[in-house]
Amino acid sequence: MKAAVVIDFDAPLTIEDRPIPAPAPGQVLVRIESSGLCHTDIHAARGDWPVKPTPPFVPGHEGVGVVQAVGTGVTVRAIGDRVALPWLGHACGHCDHCVSGWETLCEEQQNTGYSIDGGFAEYAVADADYVVPVPDGVAPQDAAPLTCAGVTTYKAIKVAHIRPSERVAVFGIGGLGHLAVQYARLVGGTVIAVDIEDSKLDMARDLGADYVVNAAETDPVAAIEELGGADVAVVLAVMPSVFESAFAALRRGGRLVCVGLPPESDGPMKLPIFPTVLKGISVIGSIVGTREDLAEVFELHALGRTRVISETRKLDDVNEAIDDVLTGRTNARIVFEL
Ligand SMILES: NC(=O)c1ccc[n+]([C@@H]2O[C@H](COP(=O)([O-])OP(=O)(O)OC[C@H]3O[C@@H](n4cnc5c(N)ncnc54)[C@H](O)[C@@H]3O)[C@@H](O)[C@H]2O)c1
Ligand SMILES: [Zn+2]
Ligand SMILES: [Zn+2]
């Protein structure tokens, strides 16, 4: 099978011909159809974060495909099922986080495309209990971006507890942001989209944003203050300074939802204590979403409530695709067709 492999944090990915893996007990073998390129895959390939994956590994945590074979003991999935292989590739199932609906916080978790080989390949094996069924009404090309960008922003909007009419500022209208805008609208928010590319802001308007701010031309804090300040700021951009701007744009009682994960070398975000206390600000970290969150994301999409904007590439062009994400030359999400 063809696979895109990280062999070194300082080198481009290599396309390799590898044997098709066999499903171990409890696993499924999936023939991947579509696989989205998340900015996290770029962080993974470069070893950007404090906890690093171990090369060689296959990135990709938005793989969607059809079950081709099942390992012994698998009863929950069957050959022919279409499934998604999300970031949460495995959790222990019995710690306090797992049993209280917070499996995404499990300390024993394994992550697809990071600690286990992911979806940038024609085939992948996965824990049968942690793949998520893709309903018939959701095309694989749409299901792929929903598998991380969708579930992550859906969860970020859930944890912000938005009341209808609250102002929600979304910083970064890329793969995650184009879906965040839509979930914020679905819960009744007034949406302010912030990016540095006019093309992304045009897309945000098209997807329902009420206001747009080009942070390369206008100070986003002043622009949002002029609108009365944000009740919620969801940060999806990859620079600590954007988190600080988002914090500054909050009104009293505001919630800062941190989702973007800049490289460790970019340093921390600095939060001033005085306004945090006086304004009663909550700072919330939000990491992907559960299997149930993803099932809800697919259901909403099957109902026609969300639109996925993506462009198709070949896996052979993975390095060009990464360059295009880094330079903003893409529309929302790149999806590899396999
Ligand atoms: N917490 C989680 O569970 C989770 C899940 C998935 C991804 N992530 C992280 O989220 C981040 C975003 O991922 P993505 O795939 O959407 O990336 P992306 O590259 O598609 O989107 C980033 C967007 O930020 C915009 N941007 C750049 N500078 C900006 C600025 N100064 N102000 C506002 N916008 C700016 C870019 O133009 C781009 O549209 C990455 O760090 C990724 O690792 C986190
Ligand atoms: Zn992701
Ligand atoms: Zn657990």
Side-chain angles (χ1 to χ4, degrees):
M1 68 170 189
K2 182 184 288 192
V5 184
V6 175
I7 43 164
D8 191 311
F9 294 136
D10 296 321
L13 275 69
T14 19
I15 301 295
E16 284 184 9
D17 190 27
R18 290 187 155 194
I20 296 172
Q27 287 186 330
V28 288
L29 171 70
V30 178
R31 168 75 180 90
I32 302 290
E33 302 168 293
S34 298
S35 202
L37 170 60
C38 180
H39 208 118
T40 291
D41 297 310
I42 304 175
H43 297 305
R46 296 178 161 203
D48 275 346
W49 294 340
V51 179
K52 297 181 200 313
T54 311
F57 68 95
V58 178
H61 54 276
E62 289 187 346
V64 169
V66 176
V67 174
Q68 290 270 302
V70 298
T72 53
V74 172
T75 53
V76 287
R77 302 289 157 239
I79 291 171
D81 289 356
R82 177 167 287 126
V83 294
L85 280 61
W87 174 254
L88 188 71
H90 171 80
C92 81
H94 52 74
C95 70
D96 59 336
H97 304 299
C98 280
V99 299
S100 63
W102 283 98
E103 60 198 23
T104 49
L105 302 182
C106 178
E107 303 219 28
E108 307 287 311
Q109 71 183 270
Q110 297 287 329
N111 298 119
T112 309
Y114 210 82
S115 62
I116 45 182
D117 281 341
F120 287 5
E122 287 172 323
Y123 292 85
V125 287
D127 186 329
D129 287 333
Y130 286 85
V131 299
V132 175
V134 178
D136 285 342
V138 181
Q141 160 117 19
D142 285 0
L146 294 172
T147 297
C148 178
V151 75
T152 299
T153 52
Y154 179 68
K155 188 66 161 193
I157 294 299
K158 262 191 179 178
V159 297
H161 296 295
I162 293 157
R163 292 188 302 280
S165 90
E166 281 194 315
R167 278 185 294 276
V168 182
V170 179
F171 286 77
I173 312 296
L176 269 62
H178 92 285
L179 286 154
V181 165
Q182 299 178 63
Y183 297 124
R185 276 294 303 253
L186 276 172
V187 298
T190 299
V191 179
I192 308 162
V194 184
D195 204 289
I196 54 170
E197 307 272 349
D198 282 329
S199 59
K200 312 250 182 173
L201 295 171
D202 291 344
M203 173 180 66
R205 269 216 192 276
D206 202 35
L207 294 170
D210 300 281
Y211 303 95
V212 299
V213 178
N214 186 329
E217 293 164 0
T218 312
D219 172 18
V221 180
I224 293 169
E225 271 172 356
E226 214 160 284
L227 296 168
D231 297 289
V232 169
V234 182
V235 189
L236 311 167
V238 189
M239 272 111 60
S241 60
V242 179
F243 290 69
E244 291 161 10
S245 298
F247 174 89
L250 289 171
R251 63 193 291 266
R252 291 184 171 223
R255 287 87 81 198
L256 178 69
V257 186
C258 304
V259 177
L261 287 160
E264 190 183 20
S265 57
D266 290 357
M269 69 170 166
K270 295 201 184 80
L271 293 187
I273 296 168
F274 197 78
T276 306
V277 175
L278 273 264
K279 292 168 82 177
I281 303 294
S282 305
V283 178
I284 305 167
S286 190
I287 176 77
V288 293
T290 63
R291 291 166 287 180
E292 174 57 25
D293 292 319
L294 182 52
E296 291 169 20
V297 160
F298 285 151
E299 199 174 320
L300 281 172
H301 195 70
L303 285 167
R305 306 277 173 84
T306 48
R307 262 170 67 200
V308 173
I309 312 285
S310 64
E311 55 181 88
T312 301
R313 301 281 178 95
K314 297 247 176 295
L315 191 60
D316 296 284
D317 301 327
V318 62
N319 292 306
E320 292 79 357
I322 287 174
D323 285 347
D324 288 350
V325 171
L326 290 172
T327 53
R329 280 196 301 263
T330 52
N331 252 343
R333 209 45 142 196
I334 287 176
V335 174
F336 301 115
E337 291 300 316
L338 287 139

